[in-house]
Amino acid sequence: MPTPVFELKDVSYYYLDKIAAVRDVNLEVAPGERIAILGANGSGKSTLMHILDGLLLPTSGKVLAFGHELTEQRLEDSEFNRFFRERVGFLFQNPDVQLFCPIVWEEVAFGPLQLDLPREEILRRVEDVLDMLGIRELRDRAPYALSGGEKKKVALGSILPINPQVLILDEPTNGLDPRTQQWLIELLEELHLAGKTLITATHDLSIVEEIADRVLVMNERHNVVAEGVPSDVLNNFDLLLEVNLIHEHAHRHGDIVHHHGHGHFFTHDHPHEGKQNDEP
Amino acid sequence: MTPKWMISNDQAVALPSATPGGKRGRRSFLEKTLWQLASVMQESVFSEAYASAPGLLQTLDPRVKFATLILFLTVTSLVRSIPVLVSIYLFTLLLAQLSRIGLPFFIKRVWLFIPLFAGIIALPAIFNVITPGEVWVPLIHLPRAYSWGPYHIPEAIGISRPGVMGALVFVCRVAASVSLVVLVTLTTRWDRLMKALRVVRIPQVFVLTLGMTYRYILLLVKLVQEMYWAKKSRTLRFSGVKAEQGWIASRMGALFRRSLQMSQEVHGAMRSRGFDGEAKILDTFQIRLRDYAWIFTSVLLFGLLFWLDRYL
């Protein structure tokens, strides 16, 4: 069996040592896998993503990346740091954080430049990625002047030239219009076929089946409460209700008021005439 | 459950009479400042259009442009002849024209600075109290001359000839220098200009930091503007100077906290892409034939101007 990309053993993270963000998470990620971490706002998905990228170290528990434990000492070792950073790319939730260079071209070149790749190789990778993402015309633009969708594309473009084996994506479809969202899903599919490992944190239930083969669900107490294939998890109504990913919803059809679960993923699956059994 | 009062459409404020009779809303100091900040932002975007126009200076290598700027600034600060200084200024106008910068815009941009930078310094120097010499326009007559140590006040105070000439040289020099600098900054994209600073051995980490500062200042300005709009859209009446000041102070604090938080996140994003404290910058600058031609012309002009200054 190949070495797992990530192994998390009883990982917990507390802000200021008292505010829990992640509690007792155990997780193993195999190379090439597609995993979605589902959870409501504030469930700790984002913190977990930061832990996976070695930006935060767990308050307790262990994180192993490619068989090596992530520790402060190890991440400060420049050899290991480069080994790790070349293999793991992180798409931040807020592209304004991720795009810190004066122009798009430099943004895309930043990563491979840090890896000390030869100049010709850097230039080639930058051009390839600009073409792959269809952002060639943005190359001389300043990141602050871009639209939300363009920023997301450039943020992805800032990671891809490093050619990481693992991509960690924090709410990648947040704030994207439907077309860009579809574009992103197709790109993730393309990357999956190229053998990349994809770990996506999201609360967008409508994309889960397209971007993941395995789903982990986090509740608002910051624990992982369920794990399974997307279809099983998405059809587990009680579970999704419990972790606040869908909500009891009241609305009116003529004279009848329904109370039923309602999430992005679910459509009405109840008859619309006669008395409902969930009516008061 | 929707509260009852929310369902009713009763409004507390009636529609004002057709002609506005209330106190006229004046733009506050804060609002004006914010508008200015926003316009600086727009201007920086706008002037980027000049930097990408297909003009003479735009096509030169930024390093070459930067180095020749220093050359021309040197000659401008050393020559003393007014005709030579005026010709340098006219030369910048020609360059602006060749670089597709609108002359009215260029001239306005330069002369806006002159009274501020040069006027205040040059004005006192025209009087014989500061610059002694032949009096052109006498202004005040004192009963006698006064002397305190190195200070001397003559009997007749007025505008002196050497004073006026000195001030004129000074103003011409400032105008030519400012024009040169404006010309280079207008025709070079900010990021390329920063990288060109490497010519004078500015460390990479400064170049990187400067670039990031510029990028995030624009973001923070936008944030400030949004905070202000959020308040304005909910403001029904002026709440008094004290409350306004309190609000500004609290927003300054909030902005500071936000920028601190953001700097941490940005640092994380940099680390995530392999940054380990050592700044690395890649430039795609290329010195071409036209750059050599420009260097040759500049050096020639440099010599010519010195020679003219000597013999004029």
Side-chain angles (χ1 to χ4, degrees):
Chain A
M1 202 183 123
T3 318
V5 170
F6 284 114
E7 276 173 278
L8 272 66
K9 292 175 183 163
D10 300 319
V11 165
S12 296
Y13 187 84
Y14 291 83
Y15 285 100
L16 306 169
D17 287 332
K18 50 188 177 213
I19 305 159
V22 172
R23 264 188 235 259
D24 301 324
V25 170
N26 287 287
L27 170 66
E28 202 174 297
V29 183
E33 234 192 327
R34 294 189 299 172
I35 295 184
I37 316 252
L38 282 182
N41 294 334
S43 57
K45 304 184 296 287
S46 220
T47 307
L48 186 60
M49 298 292 108
H50 280 73
I51 290 174
L52 288 175
D53 196 38
L55 296 173
L56 294 175
L57 289 169
T59 315
S60 64
K62 259 194 210 175
V63 181
L64 273 75
F66 309 98
H68 304 273
E69 192 184 346
L70 293 184
T71 58
E72 195 164 353
Q73 202 184 5
R74 195 163 260 144
L75 285 166
E76 271 174 17
D77 172 51
S78 72
E79 288 278 309
F80 181 81
N81 191 52
R82 282 181 40 168
F83 163 87
F84 179 70
R85 299 295 169 203
E86 192 186 2
R87 279 161 185 76
V88 182
F90 186 18
L91 181 75
F92 282 69
Q93 193 175 340
N94 177 3
D96 273 324
V97 164
Q98 189 145 21
L99 307 179
F100 45 77
C101 294
I103 59 164
V104 169
W105 188 89
E106 278 177 44
E107 205 65 72
V108 181
F110 185 89
L113 193 59
Q114 306 307 312
L115 290 177
D116 290 328
L117 292 176
R119 187 186 160 87
E120 294 314 312
E121 177 68 14
I122 296 174
L123 297 178
R124 190 171 67 109
R125 286 193 185 189
V126 172
E127 297 308 314
D128 287 348
V129 165
L130 290 175
D131 278 338
M132 180 184 183
L133 303 182
I135 50 174
R136 179 166 284 281
E137 72 281 9
L138 304 179
R139 58 183 297 149
D140 289 331
R141 297 268 301 277
Y144 69 82
L146 302 177
S147 74
E150 288 171 336
K151 277 185 190 170
K152 198 61 109 184
K153 285 185 180 178
V154 176
L156 262 164
S158 73
I159 306 166
L160 294 181
I162 304 168
N163 194 21
Q165 297 171 14
V166 185
L167 278 163
I168 302 171
L169 310 142
D170 194 359
E171 304 276 7
T173 55
N174 246 11
L176 295 186
D177 61 42
R179 205 171 79 121
T180 316
Q181 185 166 324
Q182 195 51 43
W183 170 88
L184 180 71
I185 289 170
E186 281 163 23
L187 179 78
L188 294 182
E189 179 65 28
E190 195 181 334
L191 292 169
H192 169 60
L193 291 176
K196 310 292 177 201
T197 308
L198 303 174
I199 305 170
T200 313
T202 186
H203 53 225
D204 184 353
L205 302 179
S206 68
I207 61 165
V208 173
E209 281 196 306
E210 292 180 275
I211 60 158
D213 306 314
R214 181 152 70 103
V215 179
L216 270 80
V217 182
M218 289 182 83
N219 67 2
E220 289 178 307
R221 290 187 38 74
H222 320 290
N223 298 102
V224 171
V225 284
E227 194 182 330
V229 293
S231 57
D232 286 351
V233 171
L234 293 172
N235 287 317
N236 190 340
F237 177 81
D238 293 329
L239 169 72
L240 296 182
L241 195 64
E242 183 202 313
V243 298
N244 260 336
L245 278 164
I246 56 172
H247 58 107
E248 281 282 3
H249 174 75
H251 67 173
R252 191 184 286 272
H253 292 289
D255 293 336
I256 306 164
V257 177
H258 298 291
H259 289 272
H260 63 93
H262 210 288
H264 301 283
F265 187 70
F266 293 96
T267 47
H268 294 66
D269 52 358
H270 53 80
H272 274 178
E273 61 279 330
K275 195 174 158 63
Q276 303 294 304
N277 55 6
D278 56 352
E279 264 181 71
Chain B
M1 185 66 187
T2 319
K4 267 218 169 71
W5 53 263
M6 206 180 271
I7 299 165
S8 117
N9 270 331
D10 290 344
Q11 308 275 259
V13 184
L15 182 75
S17 52
T19 47
K23 272 189 203 159
R24 204 143 52 91
R26 231 169 2 114
R27 267 197 185 177
S28 65
F29 172 72
L30 178 66
E31 191 168 353
K32 271 187 272 182
T33 311
L34 284 175
W35 274 107
Q36 270 155 7
L37 273 173
S39 72
V40 166
M41 191 165 135
Q42 276 155 2
E43 204 173 302
S44 76
V45 177
F46 176 65
S47 57
E48 255 169 41
Y50 281 120
S52 48
L56 169 72
L57 287 178
Q58 287 89 335
T59 52
L60 295 175
D61 185 299
R63 292 168 302 176
V64 170
K65 235 189 298 186
F66 190 74
T68 48
L69 168 73
I70 292 174
L71 200 70
F72 280 117
L73 283 178
T74 313
V75 72
T76 310
S77 48
L78 291 178
V79 297
R80 296 199 51 85
S81 138
I82 291 176
V84 170
L85 286 169
V86 170
S87 8
I88 296 175
Y89 179 68
L90 292 176
F91 177 60
T92 64
L93 292 185
L94 176 75
L95 285 177
Q97 186 68 41
L98 292 175
S99 305
R100 307 198 179 196
I101 297 170
L103 278 186
F105 168 79
F106 179 66
I107 292 168
K108 210 174 88 187
R109 194 156 178 148
V110 169
W111 286 96
L112 227 61
F113 284 106
I114 306 298
L116 200 73
F117 290 134
I120 297 166
I121 304 166
L123 198 67
I126 64 173
F127 298 104
N128 65 342
V129 184
I130 308 282
T131 322
E134 177 196 338
V135 177
W136 260 359
V137 187
L139 296 170
I140 305 168
H141 281 279
L142 298 176
R144 64 177 181 89
Y146 297 89
S147 280
W148 297 283
Y151 302 106
H152 178 75
I153 296 183
E155 196 185 328
I157 297 177
I159 296 170
S160 78
R161 198 181 109 86
V164 170
M165 295 316 278
L168 213 58
V169 168
F170 185 69
V171 169
C172 285
R173 194 174 277 163
V174 173
S177 307
V178 172
S179 294
L180 283 166
V181 173
V182 167
L183 207 54
V184 170
T185 50
L186 272 182
T187 57
T188 320
R189 253 188 9 230
W190 168 259
D191 56 293
R192 293 168 70 83
L193 193 64
M194 289 295 103
K195 280 188 191 166
L197 291 179
R198 301 271 300 127
V199 174
V200 283
R201 307 230 168 264
I202 303 261
Q204 302 214 357
V205 68
F206 283 111
V207 177
L208 186 76
T209 315
L210 271 171
M212 289 178 65
T213 311
Y214 179 69
R215 189 241 175 282
Y216 283 105
I217 277 180
L218 294 171
L219 190 79
L220 292 175
V221 165
K222 207 166 154 189
L223 191 67
V224 170
Q225 205 174 26
E226 277 165 8
M227 288 195 295
Y228 181 74
W229 278 335
K231 175 174 181 280
K232 195 179 178 181
S233 75
R234 282 186 294 143
T235 302
L236 298 178
R237 65 165 173 219
F238 183 60
S239 48
V241 173
K242 209 154 190 173
E244 287 280 304
Q245 285 171 347
W247 183 79
I248 296 169
S250 82
R251 287 310 90 192
M252 281 158 100
L255 193 67
F256 183 62
R257 208 174 52 202
R258 182 79 193 94
S259 55
L260 258 181
Q261 192 190 343
M262 192 141 197
S263 69
Q264 274 166 7
E265 289 175 36
V266 171
H267 184 235
M270 293 175 77
R271 271 168 57 206
S272 178
R273 263 149 74 195
F275 179 75
D276 57 0
E278 193 200 331
K280 296 177 186 118
I281 283 177
L282 186 70
D283 63 52
T284 47
F285 297 154
Q286 227 179 352
I287 297 185
R288 287 168 300 178
L289 194 64
R290 58 189 314 145
D291 293 302
Y292 288 115
W294 171 253
I295 295 173
F296 180 72
T297 318
S298 304
V299 173
L300 209 68
L301 269 171
F302 180 78
L304 182 73
L305 289 165
F306 266 125
W307 183 82
L308 280 174
D309 184 59
R310 216 154 189 207
Y311 296 101
L312 270 181

